[in-house]
Amino acid sequence: MGTHRKIEIMDTTLRDGEQTSGVSFLPSEKLQIAKLLLEELKVDRIEVASARVSKGELEGVQKITQWAGERGYLDKVEVLGFVDTPASVDWLVEAGAKVMNLLTKGSLNHLTHQLRKTPEQHFEDIRSCVNYAKSKGITVNVYLEDWSNGMRNSMDYTMELIAFLNEISVRRIMLPDTLGLLHPREVTHFVKLITTEFPDCHFDFHAHNDYDLSVANVLEAIYNGIAGIHTTVNGLGERAGNAPLESVIAVLKDFTDYRIGLNENKIFRVSKLVEQFSGQHIPANKPVVGENVFTQTAGIHADGDNKRNLYFNDLLPERFGRQRKYALGKTSGKANILKNLQELGISLEPDELTKVTEKIIELGDKKERVTTEDLPYIISDVLQNNSISKNIFIEGYHMTHSKGLKPTVQLKMSIHGKPYEEHSSGDGQYDAFMRALVKIYRSQGLQLPKLTDYHVSIPPGGKTDAFVETVITWDYGKIFKTKGLDSDQTVAAMMATEKMLNIIDKMSHSAPDRVNLKELKNQNPEQNKENFYGNEYSASAR
C-alpha cells in the first residue's frame, strides 16, 4: 500500500443516511449536523440532499449553502442530481450549491430495464447534463448506481462507462455497492482492476452494510487504490445502512498509514446529536460510539487493567472524547468496584467493600442496571445497614393498587423471632403499609415515632429502571433519619421504615422508662391516633 496517501472522507448522513426508514431531518437540524461535520469533525465533504425532492429539502440546502459560503466550505457541500437536463442542475443553482453528484446507471441491467435506453443514448444524456452543469458553474462527480452488479454481470459496459466519464473530465467517479452485496475479495479484484486501468482518475467507494461487511470492504478498497470513502454517522442508511463513519475513522487510523484529516475526538459528540435528531437509538454494543463498548464488566478485566492495562487495545476511549468505565453487576467483583470508587474519590474499609460488593451482586442478580451514579447511594445504604443491629424484619408483603379502589397491603413481619401478619388499606401504598404496621405494633403495646419528613431522589442521570432512595425523618423524642434503596419507591420507603423499627427497638431497650402505647391509650386516645396516622404522613409519602 502507498505511504501517507490522503484519503478523502465524504459523509452522506444528510442524504443517504436520511433514507433510513422513519428518519427525516428538519432544515435547522440539517444545518446543525452540517456544521458539526465540517467544523468540528472536519470531514472533507458532505452530501446533504437529493435534488427536486421537496420544498423543505430546498430550504434545508439553502440554509447549508448560505452558511457554507460564508465560511468558505461551499466546495465541500454536495447534492445528488439526476440525468434530467436541465431540472436537477437548475435546482442546484436555486439551492446555492456548487457540486453535483450525478446518478448514472452503473450496470447494464439497470440501464436496460429501468431507463430502457442503449449505452450510447445514456452516455449522450450524461454528456449533455455534465456540459450544462459546467456552464452553470457546477462541479460534477458521478455515481455509477449498481456498480457492484455491473462489475459482476456486465463488466464491459461498466468499464466503458468509466472510460467515457474519464474522457469528459468529471471530478470524481464514485463506485457504490448499492445493494451491499460484495465481499472483500470481490472489492479487491474489482477496485484493483479499475484503478490499474485508470490510474489518473479519482475514485470514491460507497459501501452498504447488508452483510455487515461495509467496513471490511472499505479497507480493501483503500488498499487497492480508492481515493475517497463515503460514510454515514452511526451507519445510518437504507436497509442495513452505510459504512459507519466512526468505525471507518478508527480502522483507517489503526490499520493503514494513509492520512485522514478528521478530528476523531469529536465523533462521539456528533454521533449523539445525530442519534437525537434521527430518533435512531445507537445499539449499546456498537463499536466506538455504543454505550457499553468502553465498559469492562468482568472483574478479572478490571483487575488486569489495575495491574498493567492488560485488557486495553488501541481503541482507547479518550481518542473519541469518551472515558473507560467499569460496570457494576453480578460479574464485576471488587476490582470493578475499586475502579469506580477511585473515580468518585471514595475509600472503604475491607469489610465495607465486601458488603458493597455483595449488595451490587444481589442487585445484578435481579437484572437491575447498576451505574457509577448509583454507587454513593448503595454505599450509604450499606453503611447505614452496617451500623444497625437487626431484630425486626419485613418478611413479606403483597401490595395492590387499582383505579377506583384504595391501595391495600398484606404485611408479614418478624419481631425478635416472633411472626406477625396484618393487612390494611390506605390513601397510598406506603400509607396502607404503615397502617398495617400500626396494627401489629398496637397489638404488642408498642409505640411508633412520628414521621416528620419524606424525601425521594434518584441518582443523577437515572432512567426508568433507576434506583430510588427514600430518606425518612422520624421524631422519637429525638430526630433521626433512615434511608431505603430500591428500584421501587414504596419498597425503598419500607426498607427505610424497617431500619427505623430496629433503631427504636434498640432505643427502647436502652431506655426502659419510655412511654408505651398502652399508657398513651389510657391517657389520651385522640393524641395516640395522631401519633400513628395523623400528621406524620405527608402527601408525598402517600
Side-chain angles (χ1 to χ4, degrees):
M1 59 184 179
T3 303
H4 305 309
R5 178 162 59 90
K6 172 73 165 65
I7 302 297
E8 284 187 356
I9 301 295
M10 190 276 270
D11 188 85
T12 182
T13 301
L14 298 176
R15 199 277 299 173
D16 213 358
E18 197 178 33
Q19 291 182 203
T20 306
S21 178
V23 173
S24 180
F25 297 117
L26 298 171
S28 56
E29 291 174 337
K30 280 200 167 193
L31 177 59
Q32 291 304 317
I33 294 171
K35 287 179 176 180
L36 284 174
L37 287 170
L38 290 175
E39 290 211 309
E40 296 281 331
L41 200 53
K42 299 192 182 302
V43 300
D44 298 287
R45 300 144 49 204
I46 58 174
E47 189 176 44
V48 300
S50 298
R52 302 173 51 212
V53 168
S54 68
K55 185 177 180 181
E57 194 82 327
L58 178 63
E59 180 187 344
V61 177
Q62 286 171 333
K63 282 180 177 288
I64 293 170
T65 56
Q66 181 179 350
W67 169 80
E70 294 168 356
R71 306 290 293 187
Y73 296 140
L74 205 49
D75 61 332
K76 298 175 180 287
V77 175
E78 302 173 7
V79 175
L80 181 75
F82 308 96
V83 185
D84 58 3
T85 311
S88 287
V89 173
D90 288 348
W91 194 94
L92 262 79
V93 171
E94 185 179 359
K98 291 293 184 181
V99 182
M100 178 171 70
N101 294 337
L102 182 63
L103 190 68
T104 68
K105 296 302 181 184
S107 71
L108 192 58
N109 192 47
H110 266 222
L111 176 65
T112 303
H113 298 289
Q114 194 169 39
L115 290 189
R116 301 183 186 276
K117 291 187 176 183
T118 66
E120 291 75 21
Q121 288 172 321
H122 190 41
F123 292 1
E124 283 308 307
D125 290 343
I126 294 169
R127 187 195 304 274
S128 297
C129 190
V130 170
N131 287 341
Y132 183 68
K134 288 180 178 179
S135 73
K136 296 293 185 178
I138 304 291
T139 299
V140 181
N141 305 317
V142 177
Y143 272 115
L144 274 59
E145 186 182 14
D146 201 35
W147 164 79
S148 44
N149 262 324
M151 293 302 288
R152 276 183 175 180
N153 305 313
S154 54
M155 188 181 291
D156 288 346
Y157 162 77
T158 303
M159 295 297 282
E160 185 182 355
L161 174 56
I162 293 171
F164 167 73
L165 295 172
N166 188 37
E167 289 174 10
I168 63 173
S169 300
V170 298
R171 176 69 182 85
R172 301 174 184 89
I173 299 173
M174 309 198 289
L175 311 176
D177 183 11
T178 304
L179 300 177
L181 50 83
L182 294 181
H183 63 72
R185 287 184 181 178
E186 285 181 297
V187 173
T188 297
H189 175 63
F190 294 151
V191 171
K192 190 172 185 179
L193 189 69
I194 289 171
T195 55
T196 302
E197 182 74 16
F198 304 98
D200 297 325
C201 284
H202 176 115
F203 291 102
D204 281 2
F205 179 65
H206 178 109
H208 279 259
N209 203 36
D210 295 69
Y211 284 99
D212 209 15
L213 289 171
S214 62
V215 177
N217 286 341
V218 161
L219 195 56
E220 288 304 312
I222 290 291
Y223 285 157
N224 288 280
I226 284 291
I229 294 296
H230 296 186
T231 65
T232 58
V233 177
N234 301 338
L236 290 179
E238 208 165 15
R239 305 184 312 278
N242 293 36
L245 174 63
E246 53 278 3
S247 297
V248 168
I249 290 174
V251 164
L252 291 186
K253 284 213 169 188
D254 291 356
F255 297 131
T256 79
D257 56 5
Y258 302 124
R259 290 182 295 110
I260 55 173
L262 277 73
N263 189 1
E264 69 178 0
N265 67 9
K266 301 292 186 181
I267 185 60
F268 186 61
R269 178 179 170 187
V270 177
S271 170
K272 296 303 286 184
L273 184 76
V274 170
E275 178 186 40
Q276 288 297 115
F277 287 170
S278 67
Q280 298 291 305
H281 180 66
I282 301 169
N285 64 342
K286 187 170 180 58
V288 179
V289 294
E291 184 176 355
N292 292 344
V293 296
F294 297 116
T295 300
Q296 300 281 36
T297 300
I300 190 172
H301 292 172
D303 182 61
D305 291 348
N306 270 333
K307 291 172 179 173
R308 200 179 174 87
N309 292 337
L310 298 180
Y311 293 91
F312 280 21
N313 60 21
D314 289 339
L315 285 173
L316 297 175
E318 293 79 12
R319 287 174 52 182
F320 309 103
R322 305 190 63 185
Q323 289 184 327
R324 189 173 302 279
K325 294 183 179 180
Y326 292 86
L328 298 167
K330 61 183 179 181
T331 64
S332 56
K334 290 183 181 178
N336 273 26
I337 296 166
L338 279 170
K339 281 283 190 181
N340 283 276
L341 291 174
Q342 288 167 10
E343 185 180 323
L344 294 169
I346 296 172
S347 176
L348 294 178
E349 295 300 318
D351 64 316
E352 294 170 340
L353 178 61
T354 298
K355 286 190 168 75
V356 169
T357 303
E358 289 170 355
K359 182 68 173 178
I360 288 170
I361 291 171
E362 174 194 328
L363 294 166
D365 279 334
K366 291 181 181 179
K367 299 188 183 294
E368 300 289 357
R369 179 175 175 270
V370 186
T371 68
T372 303
E373 290 81 6
D374 296 322
L375 197 51
Y377 291 73
I378 294 171
I379 291 169
S380 176
D381 182 65
V382 167
L383 294 183
Q384 188 175 61
N385 264 336
N386 243 10
S387 67
I388 300 172
S389 57
K390 295 186 73 173
N391 295 303
I392 300 170
F393 300 90
I394 296 172
E395 299 285 3
Y397 52 84
H398 177 73
M399 294 183 284
T400 64
H401 200 151
S402 305
K403 183 178 181 181
L405 298 172
K406 280 194 169 187
T408 63
V409 170
Q410 185 170 355
L411 177 64
K412 183 179 180 181
M413 295 193 65
S414 169
I415 302 176
H416 290 277
K418 188 174 179 180
Y420 297 88
E421 193 169 327
E422 274 292 353
H423 69 275
S424 186
S425 61
D427 293 337
Q429 286 184 324
Y430 182 67
D431 186 50
F433 160 76
M434 285 298 290
R435 289 174 185 273
L437 183 63
V438 163
K439 289 182 179 180
I440 291 172
Y441 268 62
R442 178 183 292 154
S443 71
Q444 299 303 301
L446 298 174
Q447 179 184 0
L448 291 177
K450 184 176 181 180
L451 188 158
T452 61
D453 189 53
Y454 180 107
H455 179 75
V456 176
S457 61
I458 63 173
K463 299 179 182 178
T464 54
D465 64 346
F467 293 119
V468 178
E469 183 187 61
T470 303
V471 180
I472 304 179
T473 304
W474 309 94
D475 183 353
Y476 194 62
K478 74 172 186 177
I479 305 296
F480 66 98
K481 295 182 180 182
T482 57
K483 301 175 184 178
L485 185 71
D486 197 85
S487 57
D488 182 278
Q489 177 181 331
T490 303
V491 175
M494 290 165 64
M495 297 302 99
T497 305
E498 184 187 70
K499 291 177 183 177
M500 173 274 289
L501 296 175
N502 282 283
I503 289 171
I504 66 167
D505 181 64
K506 185 177 181 181
M507 287 181 181
S508 296
H509 283 85
S510 62
D513 58 339
R514 179 170 292 280
V515 177
N516 66 30
L517 176 62
K518 288 180 180 177
E519 291 172 335
L520 282 172
K521 286 176 70 177
N522 293 333
Q523 291 172 11
N524 188 340
E526 288 304 311
Q527 180 183 351
N528 167 63
K529 180 179 178 181
E530 182 174 311
N531 274 340
F532 279 112
Y533 42 84
N535 297 333
E536 69 268 42
Y537 305 125
S538 66
S540 62
R542 296 175 183 175

